[in-house]
């Protein structure tokens, strides 16, 4: 999915300078629509199950010419009036503000408020919006449009949103850095297969009115698509690390070949390990620099991301995973030099399964991209048992948005991966090889005496390993592993590499995984 629709909001976050803002004008009253009806999560699951038992009917697209004609700039000229927000002026810690339909968001979404177990629809009203220079005359729009999505405002900052749900089933959030970056979505369907991917859509949202002093907000969502319907519950708790507890109930309409649970979507153009598209003046451009995994047997794995020449799809089998996430480990401004979008502030996103997810795999898709406006990285959990029509699949997990994962390796972590031409400096190269330099820091490494022999354990699926070494790197109080990989002459088959540090038969570090494709020789 194209990322430009989100960039305006990221820029607004970066431009804001004060954590506490002046009070808003007196709030306008949101108009209710229709009667109040009983609502809870059990009802929502029943609604999703009923939908899945019938043929799929897509939400009709908007037909108003002025809205269909919007482009990126004119769409972003439409602004929601803050005094029309849900719970504005009610002295609650949360407010909900809405996005207008149009541009890329052609299928309106219905919104509801839930009070004391009763739900009532919130009516769209053109008076909620300032249409500015969009070219849209709100007075001529129908009164039943619905909305494109919503954003959440917390009492600590009435100008900058801390989460946004907009487009298909995509949503984003921030931690203490208040900087948007990667996205999550409800579900991925047939990602990376040789046919069009399916993008389920949130069609309805319900906001449970929080107590006035509550720092948590519960949001419910109904999801639908040609292959599956679903009911979702989000319990959202802002903080230095924003936490979302997610419950998902999935009801397939038909067999799904590749079901992607808790999918994460990010952007990687280039970094210190991959210079294929490094033609910009900035040293690195990425929202995330690696996939981290904590396996069911307790192994920590770090897989640096790549911007490949062709689509790459990797599957990492596991049972009862403890967590995975797309991380932005490198948080040094000097490594990015971007004082506009601040890549070093982009949040990491960690998925913590709740309950036993059984057998399956964390799967990673990397797409080639020419620039930073395209999300080209997807990671998700794929259950081993395929989804079948008529069944119920239940998943619970916790999302952590922030600078760091809630759990990190006790052993040494990979802090940098660099690659370049192999061989010995000053000596003629008789054949092609590729150099890898991997820096590890943390764990027990700072405590090791000079007499301790640290060895790199390196395995490869192809080619030959040469000039392998592990030596202290005092600048990071850690160790650097270096080696050359000599590929088979003429082969362009991807080579999988695996590295960790060991001393006295004991692992000292997490495991570094990498996939490298030899260039044309």
């Amino acid at each position: 999915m194209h990322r430009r629709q989100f960039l305006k909001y990221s820029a607004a976050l970066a431009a804001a300078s004060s954590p506490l803002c002046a009070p808003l004008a007196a709030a306008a009253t949101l108009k209710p629509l229709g009667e109040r009806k009983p609502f809870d999560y059990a009802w929502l699951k029943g609604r999703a199950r009923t939908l899945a038992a019938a043929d799929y009917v897509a939400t009709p697209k908007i037909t108003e010419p002025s809205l269909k004609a919007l482009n990126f700039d004119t769409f972003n000229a439409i602004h929601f009036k803050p005094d029309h927000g849900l719970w504005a002026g009610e002295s609650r810690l949360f407010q909900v503000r809405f996005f207008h339909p149009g541009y890329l968001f052609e299928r309106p979404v219905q919104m509801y408020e839930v009070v004391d177990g009763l739900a009532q629809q919130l009516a769209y009203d053109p008076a909620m919006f300032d249409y500015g220079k969009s070219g849209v005359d709100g007075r001529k729009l129908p009164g039943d449009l619905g909305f494109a999505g919503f954003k959440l405002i917390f009492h600590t900052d009435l100008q900058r949103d801390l989460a946004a749900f907009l487009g298909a089933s995509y949503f984003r959030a921030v931690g203490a850095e208040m900087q948007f970056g990667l996205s999550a979505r409800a579900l991925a369907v047939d990602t990376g297969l040789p046919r069009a991917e399916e993008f389920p859509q949130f069609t309805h949202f319900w906001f449970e009115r929080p107590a006035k002093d509550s720092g948590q907000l519960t949001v419910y969502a109904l999801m639908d698509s040609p292959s599956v319907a679903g009911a979702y519950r989000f319990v959202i708790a802002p903080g230095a690390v924003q936490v979302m507890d997610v419950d998902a109930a999935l009801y397939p309409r038909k067999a799904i070949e590749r079901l992607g649970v808790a999918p994460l979507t990010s952007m990687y153009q280039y970094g210190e390990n991959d210079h294929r598209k490094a033609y910009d003046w900035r040293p690195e451009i990425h929202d995330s620099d690696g996939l981290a995994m904590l396996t069911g047997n307790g192994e920590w794995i770090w897989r640096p991301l790549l911007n490949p020449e062709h689509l790459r799809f990797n599957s990492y089998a596991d049972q009862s995973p403890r967590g995975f996430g797309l991380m932005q480990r490198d948080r040094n401004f000097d490594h990015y030099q971007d004082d506009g979008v601040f890549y070093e502030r982009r949040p990491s996103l960690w998925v913590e399964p709740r309950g036993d997810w059984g057998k399956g795999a964390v799967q990673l898709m990397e797409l080639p991209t020419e620039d930073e406006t395209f999300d080209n990285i997807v990671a998700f959990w794929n259950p081993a048992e395929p989804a079948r029509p008529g069944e119920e699949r239940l998943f619970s997990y916790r999302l952590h948005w922030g600078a760091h994962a809630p759990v990190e390796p006790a052993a040494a972590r990979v802090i940098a991966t660099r690659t370049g031409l192999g061989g010995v400096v000053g000596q003629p190269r008789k054949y092609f090889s590729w150099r890898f330099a991997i820096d590890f820091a943390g764990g027990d490494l700072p405590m090791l005496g000079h007499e301790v022999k640290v060895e790199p354990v390196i395995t490869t699926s192809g080619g030959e390993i040469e000039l392998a070494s592990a030596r202290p790197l005092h600048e990071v109080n850690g160790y650097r592993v270096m080696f050359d990989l000599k590929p088979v002459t003429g082969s362009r088959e991807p080579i999988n590499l695996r590295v960790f540090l060991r001393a006295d038969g004991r692992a000292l570090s997490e495991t570094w995984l990498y996939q490298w494709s030899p260039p044309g020789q």
Side-chain angles (χ1 to χ4, degrees):
M1 181 179 182
H2 207 281
R3 301 174 66 248
R4 291 195 63 193
Q5 61 265 38
F6 292 121
L7 294 183
K8 169 183 177 290
Y9 311 112
S10 298
L13 290 173
S17 58
S18 174
L20 296 174
C21 305
L24 297 170
T29 302
L30 277 171
K31 297 179 181 179
L33 184 65
E35 61 183 90
R36 301 173 71 191
K37 297 180 179 180
F39 176 87
D40 59 17
Y41 189 48
W43 177 90
L44 183 59
K45 289 193 288 185
R47 176 61 180 152
R49 186 191 293 272
T50 300
L51 273 178
D55 292 339
Y56 172 68
V57 178
T59 302
K61 294 182 178 181
I62 55 175
T63 58
E64 289 68 26
S66 63
L67 298 181
K68 293 176 69 67
L70 291 171
N71 57 31
F72 173 73
D73 294 316
T74 54
F75 174 76
N76 284 316
I78 302 175
H79 300 287
F80 185 81
K81 297 177 182 178
D83 60 319
H84 284 69
L86 181 61
W87 309 316
E90 292 189 18
S91 299
R92 300 182 193 278
L93 302 187
F94 290 91
Q95 293 182 28
V96 183
R97 300 175 186 170
F98 302 103
F99 294 110
H100 200 285
Y103 182 42
L104 299 176
F105 314 107
E106 299 181 298
R107 300 189 189 276
V109 181
Q110 306 302 320
M111 306 290 182
Y112 298 78
E113 183 187 18
V114 179
V115 182
D116 297 329
L118 297 174
Q120 188 166 37
Q121 187 173 351
L122 302 173
Y124 161 84
D125 185 348
M128 296 176 170
F129 297 91
D130 177 356
Y131 291 88
K133 297 182 179 179
S134 66
V136 176
D137 186 347
R139 297 168 298 179
K140 297 181 179 180
L141 296 176
D144 59 351
L145 270 182
F147 304 94
F150 68 91
K151 56 185 174 180
L152 297 180
I153 305 296
F154 200 49
H155 71 108
T156 52
D157 191 331
L158 298 180
Q159 301 299 321
R160 300 184 294 178
D161 44 318
L162 55 85
F165 288 65
L166 180 64
S169 68
Y170 283 82
F171 57 99
R172 301 198 303 168
V174 299
E177 295 73 21
M178 294 297 288
Q179 180 71 47
F180 279 128
L182 80 170
S183 304
R185 49 180 158 144
L187 196 68
V189 176
D190 291 344
T191 301
L193 294 176
R195 58 176 179 272
E197 181 177 354
E198 185 176 301
F199 291 90
Q201 180 188 1
F202 284 140
T203 60
H204 301 70
F205 286 102
W206 290 261
F207 308 99
E208 193 170 88
R209 182 188 292 179
K212 288 192 174 182
D213 60 350
S214 176
Q216 291 188 340
L217 176 65
T218 301
V219 179
Y220 303 89
L222 179 64
M223 184 197 74
D224 204 9
S225 77
S227 296
V228 60
Y232 281 76
R233 175 171 55 197
F234 300 87
V235 180
I236 301 170
V241 174
Q242 184 168 178
V243 176
M244 295 182 179
D245 285 335
V246 184
D247 291 300
L250 305 177
Y251 304 94
R253 278 191 174 87
K254 54 187 179 182
I256 299 174
E257 182 175 349
R258 182 173 290 159
L259 186 71
V261 176
L264 316 178
T265 302
S266 193
M267 178 276 295
Y268 182 93
Q269 185 180 349
Y270 62 86
E272 59 200 10
N273 61 297
D274 181 6
H275 302 286
R276 192 178 71 85
K277 289 294 180 180
Y279 42 66
D280 193 274
W281 64 272
R282 293 164 291 180
E284 300 186 39
I285 297 177
H286 50 76
D287 282 341
S288 308
D289 54 9
L291 169 65
M293 293 172 276
L294 176 55
T295 67
N297 64 10
E299 182 182 17
W300 278 95
I301 295 173
W302 177 252
R303 164 57 156 83
L305 298 176
L306 295 161
N307 181 358
E309 188 174 353
H310 306 287
L311 183 152
R312 284 187 179 180
F313 193 91
N314 284 273
S315 187
Y316 304 101
D318 198 4
Q319 182 167 349
S320 306
R322 301 188 193 180
F324 67 94
L326 290 176
M327 317 303 288
Q328 185 76 316
R329 276 190 177 176
D330 188 345
R331 311 197 73 80
N332 187 331
F333 171 81
D334 190 51
H335 294 178
Y336 303 94
Q337 288 295 324
D338 194 319
D339 57 352
V341 297
F342 299 101
Y343 284 114
E344 78 281 359
R345 300 181 189 173
R346 298 296 170 108
S348 299
L349 180 51
W350 181 255
V351 179
E352 176 190 352
R354 304 175 73 188
D356 188 350
W357 281 13
K359 292 183 178 181
V362 175
Q363 298 186 329
L364 173 67
M365 183 176 73
E366 297 164 302
L367 291 164
T369 186
E370 296 293 328
D371 58 51
E372 63 199 284
T373 65
F374 182 74
D375 275 345
N376 63 319
I377 305 296
V378 182
F380 52 83
W381 173 256
N382 176 232
E385 189 68 26
R388 297 182 176 87
E391 67 180 2
E392 179 185 61
R393 288 288 188 95
L394 301 177
F395 294 93
S396 293
Y397 52 96
R398 179 169 289 171
L399 298 176
H400 302 262
W401 306 78
H404 306 285
V407 289
E408 295 187 334
R413 300 191 314 156
V414 176
I415 61 169
T417 300
R418 298 178 177 87
T419 70
L421 187 64
V424 178
V425 176
Q427 296 186 16
R429 293 180 173 85
K430 298 180 181 179
Y431 50 82
F432 174 82
S433 63
W434 199 247
R435 173 70 51 85
F436 293 85
I438 310 156
D439 294 347
F440 294 86
D444 292 338
L445 296 186
M447 303 169 60
L448 298 181
H450 295 293
E451 74 282 1
V452 177
K453 182 180 179 181
V454 176
E455 60 176 332
V457 181
I458 306 171
T459 56
T460 176
S461 65
E464 299 177 27
I465 301 297
E466 301 180 327
L467 305 175
S469 66
R471 61 178 184 266
L473 187 62
H474 299 294
E475 288 75 11
V476 299
N477 212 12
Y479 270 72
R480 172 170 289 173
V481 171
M482 295 187 71
F483 64 92
D484 284 2
L485 174 62
K486 177 187 175 184
V488 175
T489 302
S491 172
R492 298 202 65 186
E493 284 295 313
I495 297 173
N496 294 306
L497 296 161
R498 183 181 181 94
V499 176
F500 67 94
L501 292 175
R502 183 171 64 190
D504 298 325
R506 183 174 64 91
L508 296 175
S509 72
E510 66 182 359
T511 300
W512 173 90
L513 298 182
Y514 205 81
Q515 187 175 71
W516 179 74
S517 292
Q521 300 176 42

